[in-house]
Amino acid sequence: MNKAILVYASMSGNTELMATYIAEGVKEKGVQLDVKECFEIGPEELVSYDGIIIGSYTWGEGELPDELLDFYDEMEHLDFRYKKSAVFGSGSTLYSNYGGAVDLLAEKLKARGAEVIADPLKVELTPNEEDELICKEFGRQFAEKLIAS
């Protein structure tokens, strides 16, 4: 059975809501999924999963939020070869680097050998009903690709 983890950082609840919707989509496809906030897990624990989904809101002009900085840095020495991954997060188009933290996470996963199997998912601030459907489909598609590998 494929086993996946979804780790996220959320300040206002927007990214947490996205995580909830994505998790629903993943679970609909029968994939075992653990959901954790970034401070509840060490990044070294990610290597025990087949699939890794990481979500974060973007701080300021495209930066990672403070609560995710150590987690991100500690990923530097991990080997994610043969892992399937995806990233998501909320942000504001008022900033020139919309969703920049999401892009940083995708780059880190790729640099550590993971295969990013979905385009990064970015939502403008609070997810609306359409975003909910998009998030659930993102989760379903991630699960299907994980199962197919």
Side-chain angles (χ1 to χ4, degrees):
M1 174 181 223
N2 291 296
K3 189 171 141 183
I5 186 161
L6 187 156
V7 178
Y8 68 92
S10 185
M11 181 173 67
S12 63
N14 296 338
T15 305
E16 181 177 16
L17 192 54
M18 290 179 72
T20 300
Y21 297 146
I22 292 167
E24 287 176 23
V26 171
K27 290 177 182 178
E28 281 178 20
K29 294 295 181 177
V31 171
Q32 179 185 337
L33 180 71
D34 293 333
V35 178
K36 307 266 184 180
E37 287 191 66
C38 63
F39 57 82
E40 296 178 315
I41 185 170
E44 68 281 352
E45 294 176 59
L46 300 178
V47 297
S48 66
Y49 291 88
D50 305 305
I52 302 166
I53 307 170
I54 303 178
S56 177
Y57 64 96
T58 296
W59 185 252
E61 289 292 337
E63 295 118 39
L64 290 165
D66 286 346
E67 63 267 35
L68 198 56
L69 289 176
D70 288 341
F71 189 94
Y72 178 86
D73 289 342
E74 291 169 16
M75 287 172 55
E76 185 60 35
H77 304 290
L78 299 176
D79 183 357
F80 293 139
R81 284 180 292 169
Y82 314 112
K83 307 294 180 188
K84 307 293 183 193
S85 67
V87 293
F88 70 95
S90 60
S92 173
T93 54
L94 293 176
Y95 294 99
S96 59
N97 193 3
Y98 170 61
V102 175
D103 297 330
L104 289 171
L105 290 167
E107 290 167 15
K108 176 68 86 173
L109 286 164
K110 286 178 191 173
R112 303 309 321 139
E115 179 185 354
V116 179
I117 59 174
D119 289 335
L121 176 62
K122 299 176 185 179
V123 167
E124 173 79 16
L125 302 174
T126 304
N128 59 31
E129 288 180 17
E130 182 181 345
D131 296 324
E132 176 182 351
L133 298 175
I134 291 168
C135 288
K136 287 179 181 178
E137 183 60 21
F138 181 85
R140 285 190 289 270
Q141 288 181 7
F142 176 84
E144 287 171 358
K145 291 176 181 176
L146 182 63
I147 291 166
S149 63

